Amino acid sequence: MARVEYEDQLDDLRENVVAMGGTVVSRYDAALTALETRNESLAEEVIEEDGEINQRYLDLESDCIDLFALQQPVASDLRFVASSFKIITDLERIGDLAVNLAEYTIAAERERYPEINLIHIGTETGAMVSEAIDAYEAGSSEHATAVAARDDEIDDLCSAASDAIVEDLIRTDYGDEAEDVMDDVSRLLLTVRDLERVGDHAVNICARTVYMVDSDARLIY
């Protein structure tokens, strides 16, 4: 009976990590929608609901610690619990980045550089997170590796966006508007940075999944 209970605890942990992932992706998608539509009320909802994600993280952290301390897992079970512990940290941080996006939405007073498609970048990074969670749930190192490989594309998109903003600053004299422009530019560059970080956290989730399945730590950095 003890073994059955232990297996149930492992299954519950997997299900709860996946559920937390679904919540985080939902909040992140809402933050992107708020950013695209400049919907301040939606942005405020994302900020207010961050406490739920933080509480889920704390609950799952406690579950992982209990499994370490009371069940003393070994081999593949140990890798599973350790990887899950790391993955919920990445998910919690993605939730924080969603809050950042929501705060940028509220702070923005005007649209600048509409030719830079931040929503496209954000959608691609969000898809990476969702697929990384799918790979974890399925225990598929092949899927996780394929998702992680897409991060180079995200990095290129983010670099191109940042370069375009900086180049415009260099060649344009904004005169009396310079202070307002700098506020907008700073916020845009922070947005690009945070979108790139979401992709980095997706890669981390993939790396932990590969380690969990294959005991291969090469993707972990």
Side-chain angles (χ1 to χ4, degrees), residues 47-175:
I47 296 169
E48 291 170 2
E49 292 170 351
D50 186 52
E52 177 188 346
I53 293 174
N54 293 338
Q55 187 59 53
R56 285 200 186 193
Y57 167 76
L58 292 174
D59 291 343
L60 287 174
E61 180 186 55
S62 178
D63 290 344
C64 289
I65 292 172
D66 286 346
L67 281 166
F68 283 132
L70 302 178
Q71 302 293 351
Q72 298 181 339
V74 297
S76 62
D77 289 346
L78 177 60
R79 295 198 307 272
F80 166 68
V81 177
S83 297
S84 299
F85 185 84
K86 290 293 187 178
I87 286 170
I88 62 172
T89 301
D90 283 298
L91 291 174
E92 191 273 335
R93 289 174 180 169
I94 293 169
D96 290 341
L97 293 170
V99 169
N100 287 354
L101 295 178
E103 290 175 343
Y104 300 151
T105 297
I106 294 171
E109 296 182 358
R110 64 191 66 76
E111 182 179 14
R112 201 176 295 277
Y113 303 112
E115 69 277 10
I116 297 175
N117 196 340
L118 295 176
I119 304 305
H120 171 67
I121 299 173
T123 300
E124 291 297 311
T125 56
M128 281 183 63
V129 175
S130 183
E131 291 187 41
I133 293 298
D134 289 344
Y136 163 81
E137 181 177 22
S140 173
S141 58
E142 293 85 358
H143 190 188
T145 301
V147 173
R150 287 158 46 191
D151 190 51
D152 287 343
E153 299 175 14
I154 300 299
D155 289 345
D156 289 344
L157 288 171
C158 290
S159 293
S162 297
D163 289 348
I165 295 169
V166 172
E167 287 172 8
D168 176 76
L169 281 179
I170 292 172
R171 66 172 180 262
T172 305
D173 180 6
Y174 283 99

Side-chain angles (χ1 to χ4, degrees), residues 110 112 174-186:
R110 64 191 66 76
R112 201 176 295 277
Y174 283 99
D176 294 339
E177 295 183 1
E179 183 174 349
D180 289 338
V181 170
M182 288 305 301
D183 286 342
D184 294 337
V185 165
S186 295

